[in-house]
Amino acid sequence: MGMKFKQLLDSGKFVVTAEIAPPKGTDLEQMFHHIELLNDKVDALNVTDHQSSVMRFPSLGGCLAVKERGGEPILQMTCRDRNQIALQADLLLAYTRGIENVLCLTGDAMTVGDHKQARGIFELDSVQLLRAIDFLEEKKDLGGNALNGETAFCKGAIVTPEADPWEPQYNKFEKKVDAGAEFFQTQAIYDLENFTRFMDYARGFPVKILAGIVLLTSARMAKYMTENVPGIFVPQNLIDELSSAPKGGALNKGIEIAGRMIAALKKDSLCDGVHIMAINREEAVPDILEAAGL
Amino acid sequence: MKTITRQKPYEEILQQLKFCNRVFVVGCGTCATVLQTGGIEQVSELREKLQGSGLLITGSTVIPTACDEMTAASVSENEAAIQGANGILVMACALGVQRLNFYLDKAVLPALDTLFIGLEEHPGYYMEACAQCGQCILGYTAGICPVTACHKGLLNGPCGGTDKGKCEVDQERDCAFTLIYNRLKEQDRLDLMRHYHPPRNAQVVPRPRVKILEQKEMEQWV
């Protein structure tokens, strides 16, 4: 195994992470396959935590599988499903099993998922979760009680560069920085000019920024995302480019676009790395990396 | 301020009444009347419907304010009809149901679901304004409560689901933190947006919550 994620971030290398999603059920073969496919190609694998409020195999289980296969996992942790005792306990378990990177998220609303009548906990929010990790590192729990044994996590959070309005979101970004976030993954970005403006702002803070790259698989998907997904803006020229792809070629075009964007980000050192989200198309990640010249 | 209620599905009302054949129906002259869930008309409509389902109605009344202690007087006034019933169906909020339960040995059953305590922001528009969390942070949030106005009850700023100032779960609803941000900006108090709110204490008054006035606190009212 190579360098740990935190060391890589600190080394100044252009870091590449990718996202994998645990399955709905106990058939883990596809997840194992994705892990084996990507472990050596990216610097860390980020495992989603009941993404979109859909009950699945847990992120912690996925991270253990990454670890067992020699990879570097990033544990996604949302505040939606667990109270503070459960969150802290999972962090203790994670650390003892060598999972040292945590991405702290609020979590999607319960109502968007497949357990619409379940209670969203949100006892902590993402800022408070970041601070809770600091407490653990000081050998204290949130109840103020002493803990035996150390923890040391590399803490991450997310930010939405294209948020509208941007002021309250950027304000929260700053609160996350205050709370000890060391790295940020961004919501998907497609407009490099807008992203450059965001980076001009974000460079004022001592944190590493990984640009979010969501693979576009069709013009329809791109149009849907720009119209419906909060904080995502896909410029018309990219939608047109996908439309102009020959029949059956939209995915390849999407891979080309993602690769081109990563290459541009890296060439101009616009940010510290990328986080690739090839939702349901994890097989395409190696092609994206190749298209990016990585 | 009104307690917001909604009538239960009729099947559920019948299910609750399954064990009885003689019903006394109670409405409330305050919140449930304004909300048209338990006023004179709704009581009359439900009476007819229940009769149509084969139940005998021994009587009905609309208590001025079902949750207060004057309810005892209404119970006395209707004693014969109440005694003639083996089920009391209440078209009031759960406070009214429980107030009646104090006075009656009979089965007291809710015809309504109690949804929230609503503040009338403008005529006919009721919003949940307070979750009674026991730790008011309105002083930091420009008088807008994120515990109730944010779908997730967040304290430290908006989630990533907000868009164009609206909430991801309902495009008609404003994002609480956009409102808070704009208001604090107008008041030149934006520094408060950076204020860190620690996790809330979920046990300020452990449940079941009870408040007991001291004797001398009681005396000032008599």
Side-chain angles (χ1 to χ4, degrees), chain A residues 136-156:
Chain A
L136 298 184
E137 290 175 353
E138 289 160 21
K139 297 189 180 181
K140 285 263 195 271
D141 65 18
L142 281 176
N145 310 294
L147 295 171
N148 289 323
E150 63 154 18
T151 56
F153 288 104
C154 178
K155 300 183 288 284

Side-chain angles (χ1 to χ4, degrees), chain B residues 30-169:
Chain B
T30 309
C31 308
T33 288
V34 175
L35 270 290
Q36 296 178 37
T37 52
I40 293 169
E41 267 180 51
Q42 293 79 41
V43 167
S44 157
E45 283 167 21
L46 190 59
R47 271 186 69 140
E48 275 180 39
K49 212 168 170 185
L50 292 169
Q51 279 169 332
S53 300
L55 289 157
L56 179 80
I57 307 299
T58 65
S60 63
T61 186
V62 175
I63 298 174
T65 305
C67 62
D68 79 15
E69 67 281 5
M70 295 298 285
T71 292
S74 297
V75 168
S76 305
E77 280 168 25
N78 293 283
E79 203 180 345
I82 288 173
Q83 288 311 322
N86 48 12
I88 313 298
L89 185 64
V90 185
M91 301 180 79
C93 70
L95 282 82
V97 176
Q98 294 188 56
R99 172 60 72 179
L100 278 151
N101 216 21
F102 294 155
Y103 303 126
L104 300 171
D105 292 332
K106 292 179 183 293
V108 178
L109 311 162
L112 309 182
D113 285 318
T114 302
L115 304 176
F116 61 95
I117 308 292
L119 182 68
E120 193 168 16
E121 192 186 87
H122 49 85
Y125 183 96
Y126 294 90
M127 58 178 247
E128 183 184 14
C130 178
Q132 294 150 351
C133 72
Q135 299 153 285
C136 197
I137 58 163
L138 288 172
Y140 299 91
T141 56
I144 294 158
C145 175
V147 179
T148 49
C150 166
H151 172 75
K152 297 171 184 169
L154 304 180
L155 301 183
N156 283 301
C159 72
T162 175
D163 198 25
K164 300 182 180 62
K166 298 294 178 186
C167 175
E168 71 176 322
V169 301

